[in-house]
Amino acid sequence: MIKILIVEDEKPIADLLDMSLTAAGYRCECLHDGMAAARALEENRYDLVLLDVMLPGVDGFALMEWLAPTDTPAIFITARGAVSDRIKGLKLGADDYIVKPFEIAELLARVESVLRRCHKTDSRLTLDDVVVDTQSHTVTKGGVPVSLTAKEYSLLLLFLQNKNAALFRETIYERVWGGDFMGDSRTVDLHVQRLRKKLDWGDRITAVYKVGYRLEVEE
Ligand code: CA
């Protein structure tokens, strides 16, 4: 999942950004001052940072110093009319800017376009040495292609999108086979067994008593 850091000291604006981007399927973290943002940038990896210019502590421009070495794209949030801010931001290496007050649709469009430009779109899912490319529908393990049936592929996606969640056999059946579960748990069990074998994920995909299965991932 794409992870976005929002650095904005005006709480209502930060909340609005958080809500809109979360609803659009991004994972967001909000910080309200520059120092906290600088620390977070040292400790964590983000796919994109939304950066307000005027911040307590370290301002948005200065934060570019922390950002630049990480190669993380940034979008500045600037006040209306502050043209010099926008130019300075872009010169410092920001990928785009949004002017307050902004429309949600514009925000989402700019975020999407920067992520696309920086190849941060969510087309690859990985775990261990397994890489799933959701655009080409291919799976590799240790760089070697793994041949999966359509159902096994859907099952793998379902697990990767629900890491550490105990998935009921009924849910798995409905999501992968797309019909009502008629108590045919053998179909689910068989496919899980095959997927485990093909990916050597005997320890990863575990049985959950009376429920179904879970993909175990250390966070
Ligand atoms: Ca501000």
Side-chain angles (χ1 to χ4, degrees):
M1 199 179 222
I2 296 281
K3 201 170 156 195
I4 301 179
L5 173 66
I6 300 163
V7 190
E8 164 66 77
D9 60 321
E10 286 170 72
K11 190 101 188 346
I13 296 180
D15 289 347
L16 178 64
L17 289 166
D18 188 2
M19 267 172 39
S20 316
L21 291 167
T22 302
Y26 300 105
R27 199 163 102 210
C28 298
E29 192 180 320
C30 275
L31 293 172
H32 308 292
D33 78 90
M35 272 320 290
R39 270 197 305 276
L41 287 169
E42 279 176 349
E43 285 165 14
N44 310 313
R45 299 279 305 161
Y46 302 95
D47 296 297
L48 174 69
V49 179
L50 297 188
L51 210 48
D52 183 25
V53 176
M54 298 294 287
L55 289 165
V58 182
D59 75 16
F61 294 140
L63 277 174
M64 286 305 286
E65 256 181 64
W66 277 267
L67 253 176
T70 67
D71 235 5
T72 311
I75 298 178
F76 267 107
I77 309 161
T78 66
R80 178 179 288 280
V83 179
S84 59
D85 277 4
R86 284 179 236 165
I87 294 168
K88 189 168 175 193
L90 293 172
K91 275 191 176 158
L92 283 170
D95 296 272
D96 206 347
Y97 58 84
I98 297 166
V99 179
K100 289 189 261 194
F102 50 83
E103 297 283 334
I104 300 302
E106 188 200 353
L107 162 78
L108 293 177
R110 286 188 187 274
V111 165
E112 270 170 37
S113 121
V114 168
L115 288 171
R116 212 171 22 243
R117 233 186 301 146
C118 300
H119 306 290
K120 297 272 190 183
T121 43
D122 242 350
S123 70
R124 281 157 61 98
L125 296 167
T126 60
L127 180 60
D128 300 335
D129 57 349
V130 174
V131 179
V132 180
D133 188 321
T134 58
Q135 253 163 19
S136 61
H137 283 240
T138 52
V139 180
T140 57
K141 181 175 171 65
V144 181
V146 179
S147 170
L148 297 183
T149 65
K151 296 298 182 208
E152 288 163 355
Y153 177 81
S154 306
L155 186 59
L156 174 59
L157 274 194
L158 182 66
F159 278 124
L160 285 172
Q161 287 160 349
N162 295 278
K163 290 175 184 164
N164 290 320
L167 297 172
F168 281 90
R169 282 193 179 78
E170 290 86 335
T171 310
I172 295 173
Y173 190 89
E174 285 165 16
R175 296 281 293 277
V176 174
W177 279 266
D180 282 340
F181 182 68
M182 307 296 275
D184 182 15
S185 60
R186 210 178 121 69
T187 304
V188 173
D189 294 340
L190 259 175
H191 280 77
V192 168
Q193 278 168 33
R194 285 194 201 129
L195 188 62
R196 267 182 184 151
K197 208 169 160 197
K198 285 186 178 180
L199 300 177
D200 193 17
W201 271 7
D203 298 334
R204 281 276 178 222
I205 303 173
T206 56
V208 183
Y209 183 62
K210 287 194 172 170
V211 175
Y213 296 95
R214 171 168 54 216
L215 177 64
E216 310 264 359
V217 181
E218 322 65 48
E219 300 264 15

